[in-house]
Amino acid sequence: IDVTNLNRQFLFRTEDVEKAKSTTAARAAQVMNPDLQVVAMQDPVGEDTEHIFHDEFWDSQDVMVNALDNIKARLYVDAKCVFHLKPLLESGTLGTKANAQVVVPHKTQAYGDSRDPPEQSIPMCTLKNFPHKIEHCIEWARDDFAGRFTSSVADAQAYLEDRKASPCAP
């Protein structure tokens, strides 16, 4: 858990920073509902971990609840839930966008059935808090450079020129 998670994820508190998200969320949910049976797992879900998340795993579940932070994993879980006929509560954020969706296989739209149009620009919160793609890192560096070496110099130059134009200038 990173400090940037605290403003958008209600299960986490300041004392949870640097702890695992899955175990912390499971513990918080069980405080809310002691009858909840949850197993917190820290393995990434996807094709590389099908030895953990095998058919028996999916078939043994009653319902799946997602809170994944990447599209590839969300699409993977969605496809597995549809294939194994498991209801899915899909949720997550991507930049400034949030998604919450109930997927009931063959009755409602699946998460993978629709796509958001690509964003024309990178959300500022992604650049400042979690630049996770190479283009985010490049844009962050450009913005940082501009702030340090371009904007401040331009502001200083504008101030000096404005002072020269002022009738009260020394």
Side-chain angles (χ1 to χ4, degrees):
I1 299 170
D2 187 73
V3 72
T4 61
N5 298 131
L6 300 178
N7 70 336
R8 66 181 184 276
Q9 297 175 352
F10 68 93
L11 296 175
F12 304 144
R13 303 291 179 261
T14 305
E15 59 270 16
D16 298 325
V17 171
E18 296 187 8
K19 294 181 182 172
K21 288 181 181 180
S22 61
T23 54
T24 304
R27 189 172 41 257
Q30 286 175 315
V31 167
M32 291 181 213
N33 181 356
D35 295 328
L36 180 66
Q37 295 180 10
V38 62
V39 176
M41 300 181 77
Q42 295 182 38
D43 302 289
V45 64
E47 292 176 6
D48 294 343
T49 54
E50 286 185 346
H51 63 283
I52 299 168
F53 302 106
H54 41 64
D55 287 340
E56 293 79 23
F57 168 83
W58 297 103
D59 290 336
S60 70
Q61 305 304 308
D62 294 320
V63 64
M64 299 300 292
V65 179
N66 243 5
L68 297 168
D69 61 0
N70 72 77
I71 299 286
K72 185 177 180 182
R74 290 163 77 176
L75 289 169
Y76 180 84
V77 170
D78 177 64
K80 286 294 188 178
C81 287
V82 170
F83 180 82
H84 290 275
L85 303 175
K86 301 299 174 180
L88 168 65
L89 174 56
E90 206 302 311
S91 64
T93 61
L94 185 64
T96 58
K97 295 180 181 178
N99 183 65
Q101 179 179 359
V102 175
V103 176
V104 180
H106 308 296
K107 294 188 187 278
T108 64
Q109 184 180 40
Y111 175 75
D113 289 344
S114 65
R115 293 276 196 282
D116 287 334
E119 296 198 28
Q120 298 302 314
S121 63
I122 302 166
M124 190 54 62
C125 64
T126 299
L127 289 180
K128 298 294 185 191
N129 298 319
F130 191 63
H132 59 280
K133 292 182 178 177
I134 189 68
E135 51 269 21
H136 297 166
C137 296
I138 292 168
E139 189 61 33
W140 176 87
R142 283 182 182 159
D143 181 61
D144 188 60
F145 183 88
R148 291 175 190 264
F149 301 109
T150 306
S151 301
S152 56
V153 172
D155 290 345
Q157 184 66 33
Y159 172 77
L160 293 172
E161 288 175 8
D162 190 45
R163 284 189 59 204
K164 288 178 188 174
S166 172
C168 298

